[in-house]
Amino acid sequence: MNSESGHSRAEGADRVLVVEDEPALAKVVANYLAREGFHVRIAHDGPTAVAAAHDFEPSLVVLDLMLPGFDGMEVCRRIRSFSDAYILMLSARGDESDKVAGLAAGADDYVVKPFGPRELVARVKALLRRPRASSLMSEPLPTPDGLDIDLIARTVRVDGAPVELTHTEFELLTALATRPDAALSRSDIITAVWGSSWFGDQHIVDVHIRALRRKLGDDAADPRFIRTVRGMGYALRSS
């Protein structure tokens, strides 16, 4: 069932869809977001969440992994088929395999329960104010043979075939491509993609790199595009 926060919408406020099957937690999160000026809607199950994303057109979705109807992974995949909203996934499971699965399904960030509502609000704000450095560039990027990045259309192709990337994956690939062959540390990548105000575990970069490599068909052991710089970070091969 959908519900909207009781706070009035601020002009130009970002829309946030909170998808959480625990009504009390959903209400707490929604109230914290509304107090910060966001326009908030709540959904408590998978089918309602997808319908709400169609109708509400949120800028960001706070998405619990365990939901009735169908789970957060399926909600994420379905929303990704028609929306480029940021998706912040919530889960009580903190294993890296779960994070990889969530990010591969299209999530942009991942928060493990239990969490403080203020921390969650800060993560939401950090995602929404992320710099879009790639949108300021007009020159073609020096990418490796077989990899094409169109900054204006925000598309990626490998050997001519389109590759569907999330917001975060596209920004991550672009951040690497703007400095071809340069070894970027996790900190460098976080600043370029998430912004200097981002906080959290820097190993989220590794999780996104793994998801990105899978979509590009890139083998970490014998990389065609993205190479690991041991003890440092990552680099994209130049053309």
Side-chain angles (χ1 to χ4, degrees):
M1 177 178 179
N2 286 4
S3 62
E4 300 210 24
S5 70
H7 298 255
S8 61
R9 181 183 178 187
E11 185 67 28
D14 283 305
R15 299 182 180 199
V16 179
L17 174 62
V18 176
V19 185
E20 169 59 59
D21 67 334
E22 297 180 34
L25 178 56
K27 186 175 181 180
V28 168
V29 170
N31 284 341
Y32 268 90
L33 289 165
R35 287 178 197 145
E36 295 296 324
F38 295 103
H39 186 41
V40 185
R41 182 174 291 187
I42 296 171
H44 297 303
D45 60 68
T48 302
V50 175
H54 268 291
D55 175 59
F56 189 52
E57 297 182 347
S59 303
L60 184 143
V61 180
V62 176
L63 177 60
D64 188 29
L65 183 58
M66 302 302 295
L67 295 169
F70 43 78
D71 67 14
M73 294 290 189
E74 184 61 22
V75 172
C76 190
R77 292 187 192 98
R78 295 194 186 195
I79 289 177
R80 273 287 166 258
S81 71
F82 62 84
S83 172
D84 62 356
Y86 289 113
I87 296 179
L88 178 61
M89 191 166 279
L90 311 177
S91 176
R93 303 200 298 257
D95 290 345
E96 184 167 317
S97 59
D98 293 315
K99 296 179 183 179
V100 170
L103 297 175
D108 295 285
D109 202 355
Y110 198 105
V111 175
V112 177
K113 295 180 178 179
F115 56 83
R118 289 186 180 87
E119 175 192 353
L120 184 64
V121 171
R123 285 289 187 95
V124 167
K125 288 182 174 181
L127 274 174
L128 289 172
R129 66 171 174 256
R130 273 178 14 183
R132 293 295 190 192
S134 61
S135 66
L136 302 177
M137 300 181 61
S138 58
E139 294 298 318
L141 293 175
T143 54
D145 291 341
L147 177 64
D148 296 298
I149 304 172
D150 188 324
L151 294 172
I152 297 176
R154 293 183 66 84
T155 58
V156 173
R157 290 179 177 272
V158 173
D159 296 328
V163 178
E164 294 296 326
L165 300 182
T166 66
H167 271 308
T168 300
E169 290 161 355
F170 185 85
E171 294 297 324
L172 175 52
L173 183 60
T174 301
L176 292 171
T178 57
R179 296 175 61 185
D181 290 324
L184 301 184
S185 67
R186 292 182 183 89
S187 179
D188 292 333
I189 293 170
I190 284 173
T191 298
V193 177
W194 283 269
S196 58
S197 61
W198 186 89
F199 65 96
D201 185 354
Q202 290 193 351
H203 284 86
I204 191 172
V205 172
D206 304 328
V207 178
H208 277 290
I209 288 285
R210 184 180 297 181
L212 180 58
R213 278 173 165 159
R214 182 182 295 112
K215 290 186 178 182
L216 296 177
D218 204 19
D219 184 356
D222 185 21
R224 180 182 178 189
F225 304 129
I226 302 171
R227 64 185 180 89
T228 301
V229 182
R230 194 172 300 279
M232 177 66 177
Y234 301 94
L236 186 75
R237 298 183 185 279
S238 64
S239 57

